Amino acid sequence: MIIDTHTHLYLSDFASDIDEVIKRAGDEGVGKFYLPAIDSAETENLLALETNYPGKCFAMMGLHPCSVKENYKDELNMVHSWLQKRKFAAIGEIGLDFYWDKTFIDQQYQSLHQQIEWALQFDLPVVLHTREAVQESIDVIKEYAGKNLRGIFHCFSGTLQNALDIISTGFYLGIGGVITYKNSGLAEVIKQIDLKNIVLETDAPYLTPVPFRGKRNESSYIKYVVQKIAEVKNISAKEVEKVTTRNAMNIFSA
Ligand SMILES: [Zn+2]
Ligand SMILES: [Zn+2]
Protein backbone atom coordinates (compact mmCIF):
# COMPACT_ATOMS: atom_id res chain seq x y z
CA MET A 1 0.00 0.00 0.00
CA ILE A 2 1.07 3.58 -0.77
CA ILE A 3 0.27 6.42 1.65
CA ASP A 4 -0.31 9.94 0.35
CA THR A 5 0.88 11.87 3.39
CA HIS A 6 -0.26 15.26 2.07
CA THR A 7 -3.28 15.77 -0.17
CA HIS A 8 -5.99 18.45 -0.19
CA LEU A 9 -8.75 16.25 -1.62
CA TYR A 10 -11.40 18.19 0.31
CA LEU A 11 -10.94 21.34 -1.81
CA SER A 12 -13.58 22.43 -4.32
CA ASP A 13 -11.27 21.30 -7.17
CA PHE A 14 -12.47 17.77 -6.37
CA ALA A 15 -16.10 18.51 -5.49
CA SER A 16 -17.52 17.01 -8.67
CA ASP A 17 -15.50 13.79 -8.87
CA ILE A 18 -14.02 12.97 -5.47
CA ASP A 19 -15.34 9.39 -5.50
CA GLU A 20 -13.59 8.68 -8.81
CA VAL A 21 -10.43 10.41 -7.58
CA ILE A 22 -10.29 8.16 -4.51
CA LYS A 23 -11.13 5.12 -6.66
CA ARG A 24 -8.37 5.89 -9.19
CA ALA A 25 -5.89 6.30 -6.34
CA GLY A 26 -7.02 2.98 -4.88
CA ASP A 27 -6.47 1.32 -8.27
CA GLU A 28 -2.85 2.55 -8.07
CA GLY A 29 -2.44 1.15 -4.58
CA VAL A 30 -2.95 4.33 -2.56
CA GLY A 31 -4.83 3.25 0.55
CA LYS A 32 -4.53 6.18 2.95
CA PHE A 33 -4.80 9.92 2.49
CA TYR A 34 -3.65 12.47 5.05
CA LEU A 35 -5.43 15.80 4.71
CA PRO A 36 -3.58 18.93 5.82
CA ALA A 37 -5.71 21.83 7.05
CA ILE A 38 -5.35 25.38 5.67
CA ASP A 39 -7.65 27.61 7.72
CA SER A 40 -11.15 27.70 9.22
CA ALA A 41 -12.83 28.39 5.87
CA GLU A 42 -12.05 24.79 4.84
CA THR A 43 -12.64 22.97 8.14
CA GLU A 44 -16.15 21.81 7.30
CA ASN A 45 -15.12 20.30 3.95
CA LEU A 46 -12.01 18.75 5.49
CA LEU A 47 -13.93 16.98 8.26
CA ALA A 48 -16.72 15.94 5.89
CA LEU A 49 -14.30 14.11 3.60
CA GLU A 50 -12.79 12.30 6.57
CA THR A 51 -16.28 11.27 7.70
CA ASN A 52 -17.13 9.98 4.21
CA TYR A 53 -13.99 7.83 4.02
CA PRO A 54 -13.41 6.38 7.47
CA GLY A 55 -10.11 4.54 7.78
CA LYS A 56 -8.89 6.06 4.49
CA CYS A 57 -8.92 9.84 4.93
CA PHE A 58 -7.41 11.38 8.04
CA ALA A 59 -7.71 15.06 8.95
CA MET A 60 -4.95 17.24 10.31
CA MET A 61 -5.64 20.52 12.10
CA GLY A 62 -3.63 23.72 11.84
CA LEU A 63 -3.21 27.20 10.40
CA HIS A 64 -1.27 27.46 7.12
CA PRO A 65 1.36 30.26 7.09
CA CYS A 66 -0.27 31.83 4.01
CA SER A 67 -3.48 32.15 6.04
CA VAL A 68 -1.73 34.04 8.84
CA LYS A 69 -3.34 37.47 8.46
CA GLU A 70 -4.86 40.16 10.71
CA ASN A 71 -7.24 37.59 12.24
CA TYR A 72 -4.57 34.99 13.03
CA LYS A 73 -5.38 34.95 16.74
CA ASP A 74 -9.00 34.01 16.06
CA GLU A 75 -7.80 31.33 13.66
CA LEU A 76 -5.37 29.93 16.23
CA ASN A 77 -8.12 29.88 18.84
CA MET A 78 -10.22 27.76 16.49
CA VAL A 79 -7.32 25.37 15.91
CA HIS A 80 -6.85 25.04 19.64
CA SER A 81 -10.52 24.38 20.34
CA TRP A 82 -10.57 21.63 17.68
CA LEU A 83 -7.48 20.02 19.19
CA GLN A 84 -9.26 19.86 22.54
CA LYS A 85 -12.39 18.42 20.97
CA ARG A 86 -11.05 15.37 19.11
CA LYS A 87 -8.00 13.52 17.85
CA PHE A 88 -6.22 14.59 14.66
CA ALA A 89 -3.52 12.83 12.63
CA ALA A 90 -1.12 15.77 12.98
CA ILE A 91 -0.87 19.51 13.37
CA GLY A 92 -0.49 20.85 9.85
CA GLU A 93 0.14 22.37 7.67
CA ILE A 94 2.01 24.99 9.61
CA GLY A 95 5.26 26.80 8.93
CA LEU A 96 6.84 29.79 7.23
CA ASP A 97 6.18 31.12 3.74
CA PHE A 98 8.16 34.18 2.67
CA TYR A 99 7.38 33.74 -1.01
CA TRP A 100 3.90 35.21 -1.34
CA ASP A 101 3.83 37.87 1.34
CA LYS A 102 6.21 39.12 4.00
CA THR A 103 3.74 41.41 5.76
CA PHE A 104 3.00 38.95 8.54
CA ILE A 105 6.39 37.38 9.15
CA ASP A 106 6.32 38.01 12.90
CA GLN A 107 2.83 36.55 13.14
CA GLN A 108 3.94 33.56 11.06
CA TYR A 109 6.72 32.85 13.54
CA GLN A 110 4.36 33.33 16.47
CA SER A 111 1.77 30.98 14.94
CA LEU A 112 4.39 28.36 14.17
CA HIS A 113 5.78 28.39 17.71
CA GLN A 114 2.30 28.28 19.24
CA GLN A 115 1.28 25.30 17.11
CA ILE A 116 4.51 23.46 17.83
CA GLU A 117 3.80 23.92 21.55
CA TRP A 118 0.38 22.34 21.00
CA ALA A 119 1.95 19.46 19.07
CA LEU A 120 4.14 18.72 22.08
CA GLN A 121 1.24 19.11 24.48
CA PHE A 122 -1.12 16.85 22.47
CA ASP A 123 1.71 14.50 21.44
CA LEU A 124 1.11 14.97 17.71
CA PRO A 125 3.49 15.16 14.75
CA VAL A 126 3.73 18.43 12.80
CA VAL A 127 3.57 18.82 9.02
CA LEU A 128 5.66 21.79 7.99
CA HIS A 129 5.15 24.02 4.97
CA THR A 130 8.22 26.11 4.10
CA ARG A 131 8.64 28.30 1.07
CA GLU A 132 11.75 30.46 0.70
CA ALA A 133 12.17 29.74 4.41
CA VAL A 134 13.74 26.27 4.67
CA GLN A 135 16.72 27.36 6.74
CA GLU A 136 14.56 29.56 8.98
CA SER A 137 12.22 26.63 9.58
CA ILE A 138 15.09 24.26 10.35
CA ASP A 139 16.35 26.82 12.88
CA VAL A 140 12.95 26.87 14.59
CA ILE A 141 12.81 23.07 14.76
CA LYS A 142 16.31 22.97 16.24
CA GLU A 143 15.09 25.13 19.14
CA TYR A 144 12.97 22.15 20.18
CA ALA A 145 15.79 19.60 20.17
CA GLY A 146 15.35 16.94 22.85
CA LYS A 147 11.63 17.63 23.26
CA ASN A 148 10.46 14.74 21.10
CA LEU A 149 9.06 17.00 18.38
CA ARG A 150 8.55 14.96 15.21
CA GLY A 151 7.08 15.33 11.76
CA ILE A 152 7.55 16.05 8.08
CA PHE A 153 9.08 18.86 6.03
CA HIS A 154 6.37 18.62 3.40
CA CYS A 155 7.21 19.38 -0.24
CA PHE A 156 10.90 19.38 0.51
CA SER A 157 12.86 21.01 -2.32
CA GLY A 158 16.02 22.34 -0.66
CA THR A 159 19.70 21.54 -0.97
CA LEU A 160 21.50 18.39 0.12
CA GLN A 161 22.75 20.27 3.19
CA ASN A 162 19.15 21.29 4.05
CA ALA A 163 18.10 17.65 3.70
CA LEU A 164 20.89 16.43 5.98
CA ASP A 165 20.08 19.12 8.57
CA ILE A 166 16.42 18.10 8.57
CA ILE A 167 17.28 14.41 8.91
CA SER A 168 19.55 15.22 11.85
CA THR A 169 16.53 16.69 13.67
CA GLY A 170 14.68 13.38 13.16
CA PHE A 171 12.18 14.88 10.72
CA TYR A 172 11.17 13.20 7.45
CA LEU A 173 11.32 14.69 3.96
CA GLY A 174 7.97 14.79 2.14
CA ILE A 175 8.69 14.18 -1.54
CA GLY A 176 6.15 14.87 -4.31
CA GLY A 177 5.85 15.94 -7.93
CA VAL A 178 8.73 18.42 -7.76
CA ILE A 179 11.18 15.50 -8.01
CA THR A 180 9.94 14.94 -11.58
CA TYR A 181 10.77 18.54 -12.59
CA LYS A 182 14.14 18.55 -14.36
CA ASN A 183 15.12 22.06 -13.24
CA SER A 184 14.35 21.41 -9.55
CA GLY A 185 17.59 19.51 -8.87
CA LEU A 186 15.64 17.49 -6.30
CA ALA A 187 16.28 14.11 -7.93
CA GLU A 188 20.05 14.62 -7.48
CA VAL A 189 19.55 15.43 -3.79
CA ILE A 190 17.23 12.49 -3.12
CA LYS A 191 19.67 10.14 -4.84
CA GLN A 192 21.94 10.72 -1.83
CA ILE A 193 19.27 10.44 0.87
CA ASP A 194 18.33 7.16 2.52
CA LEU A 195 14.79 5.97 1.83
CA LYS A 196 14.23 5.64 5.56
CA ASN A 197 14.03 9.45 5.76
CA ILE A 198 11.43 9.91 3.01
CA VAL A 199 7.62 9.90 2.83
CA LEU A 200 5.48 10.31 -0.28
CA GLU A 201 2.98 13.07 -0.96
CA THR A 202 1.13 14.73 -3.82
CA ASP A 203 -0.04 18.07 -2.34
CA ALA A 204 -2.97 17.63 -4.76
CA PRO A 205 -4.39 19.63 -6.47
CA TYR A 206 -1.01 21.41 -6.66
CA LEU A 207 2.49 20.45 -7.85
CA THR A 208 1.41 17.92 -10.44
CA PRO A 209 4.19 15.55 -11.53
CA VAL A 210 5.40 15.11 -15.08
CA PRO A 211 3.74 13.99 -17.41
CA PHE A 212 0.66 15.88 -16.17
CA ARG A 213 2.44 19.04 -15.00
CA GLY A 214 0.13 22.04 -15.38
CA LYS A 215 -3.05 19.99 -14.89
CA ARG A 216 -4.89 19.31 -11.62
CA ASN A 217 -2.93 16.93 -9.43
CA GLU A 218 -4.59 13.93 -7.76
CA SER A 219 -3.42 11.18 -5.46
CA SER A 220 -3.23 8.47 -8.16
CA TYR A 221 -0.37 10.46 -9.76
CA ILE A 222 1.79 9.57 -6.76
CA LYS A 223 2.90 6.62 -8.89
CA TYR A 224 5.05 9.01 -10.96
CA VAL A 225 6.80 10.10 -7.79
CA VAL A 226 7.36 6.47 -6.79
CA GLN A 227 8.76 5.71 -10.26
CA LYS A 228 11.10 8.69 -10.20
CA ILE A 229 12.49 7.85 -6.75
CA ALA A 230 12.95 4.21 -7.80
CA GLU A 231 14.74 5.35 -10.97
CA VAL A 232 17.18 7.76 -9.30
CA LYS A 233 17.97 5.32 -6.49
CA ASN A 234 18.11 2.34 -8.82
CA ILE A 235 15.72 0.24 -6.71
CA SER A 236 12.28 -1.24 -7.35
CA ALA A 237 9.02 0.70 -7.03
CA LYS A 238 7.90 -1.94 -4.52
CA GLU A 239 10.86 -1.12 -2.29
CA VAL A 240 10.02 2.59 -2.44
CA GLU A 241 6.40 1.85 -1.49
CA LYS A 242 7.32 -0.51 1.32
CA VAL A 243 9.81 1.74 3.09
CA THR A 244 7.95 5.05 2.63
CA THR A 245 4.71 3.47 3.87
CA ARG A 246 6.48 2.14 6.93
CA ASN A 247 7.87 5.64 7.54
CA ALA A 248 4.44 7.24 7.19
CA MET A 249 2.90 4.75 9.64
CA ASN A 250 5.70 5.51 12.02
CA ILE A 251 4.75 9.22 12.00
CA PHE A 252 0.95 8.97 12.01
CA SER A 253 -0.48 6.78 14.71
CA ALA A 254 -3.88 6.77 12.97
ZN1 LIG B 1 2.27 23.34 1.68
ZN1 LIG C 1 -0.45 21.44 1.16
Side-chain angles (χ1 to χ4, degrees):
M1 181 195 44
I2 301 172
I3 297 180
D4 189 347
T5 63
H6 193 114
T7 182
H8 298 273
L9 294 180
Y10 56 87
L11 292 179
S12 59
D13 306 69
F14 299 104
S16 67
D17 65 345
I18 183 61
D19 294 333
E20 288 105 277
V21 166
I22 300 247
K23 165 90 172 59
R24 277 197 293 273
D27 292 345
E28 297 294 345
V30 187
K32 286 185 177 184
F33 309 85
Y34 287 87
L35 313 173
I38 296 172
D39 59 35
S40 65
E42 295 295 342
T43 305
E44 198 182 324
N45 292 332
L46 168 73
L47 299 181
L49 183 60
E50 184 191 52
T51 302
N52 291 341
Y53 288 96
K56 271 186 187 247
C57 289
F58 301 93
M60 305 180 201
M61 182 46 63
L63 179 63
H64 191 293
C66 292
S67 292
V68 173
K69 301 272 159 68
E70 289 88 350
N71 67 339
Y72 77 105
K73 283 197 170 149
D74 295 336
E75 286 286 331
L76 286 175
N77 282 337
M78 277 185 267
V79 168
H80 191 224
S81 73
W82 274 111
L83 291 173
Q84 289 169 307
K85 236 179 277 183
R86 49 152 285 181
K87 178 119 174 78
F88 287 90
I91 298 191
E93 52 187 297
I94 63 174
L96 301 172
D97 189 315
F98 301 161
Y99 177 78
W100 294 107
D101 190 358
K102 288 190 176 167
T103 318
F104 296 99
I105 279 190
D106 289 348
Q107 292 86 347
Q108 283 193 28
Y109 270 105
Q110 220 178 304
S111 303
L112 175 57
H113 280 288
Q114 176 64 79
Q115 293 181 96
I116 288 175
E117 292 293 343
W118 290 335
L120 295 172
Q121 186 188 331
F122 291 92
D123 191 25
L124 291 172
V126 292
V127 171
L128 296 174
H129 168 107
T130 69
R131 192 152 185 209
E132 301 213 337
V134 184
Q135 190 56 54
E136 289 87 343
S137 305
I138 293 170
D139 292 343
V140 169
I141 295 310
K142 280 185 173 165
E143 291 176 37
Y144 294 87
K147 296 208 165 145
N148 214 17
L149 182 64
R150 63 193 200 280
I152 301 169
F153 272 71
H154 121 76
C155 190
F156 173 78
S157 56
T159 63
L160 178 60
Q161 191 54 55
N162 291 152
L164 296 173
D165 280 353
I166 289 167
I167 290 166
S168 78
T169 67
F171 272 63
Y172 289 85
L173 307 174
I175 302 300
V178 175
I179 195 169
T180 68
Y181 305 166
K182 271 204 178 72
N183 59 359
S184 73
L186 185 58
E188 282 308 304
V189 171
I190 292 310
K191 194 177 187 166
Q192 302 171 69
I193 297 298
D194 198 306
L195 214 47
K196 70 174 197 282
N197 304 115
I198 293 171
V199 293
L200 304 175
E201 63 171 68
T202 55
D203 203 14
Y206 316 110
L207 298 170
T208 313
V210 173
F212 295 112
R213 192 174 181 181
K215 306 237 169 63
R216 181 189 75 172
N217 198 4
E218 60 173 70
S219 290
S220 66
Y221 296 167
I222 207 164
K223 72 172 174 189
Y224 300 104
V225 177
V226 172
Q227 281 169 12
K228 187 70 190 181
I229 294 175
E231 183 193 312
V232 299
K233 300 186 84 59
N234 201 20
I235 53 177
S236 69
K238 277 273 161 267
E239 179 72 5
V240 174
E241 292 181 22
K242 190 182 83 186
V243 179
T244 56
T245 293
R246 194 169 62 207
N247 296 342
M249 288 166 71
N250 194 26
I251 299 168
F252 300 114
S253 48

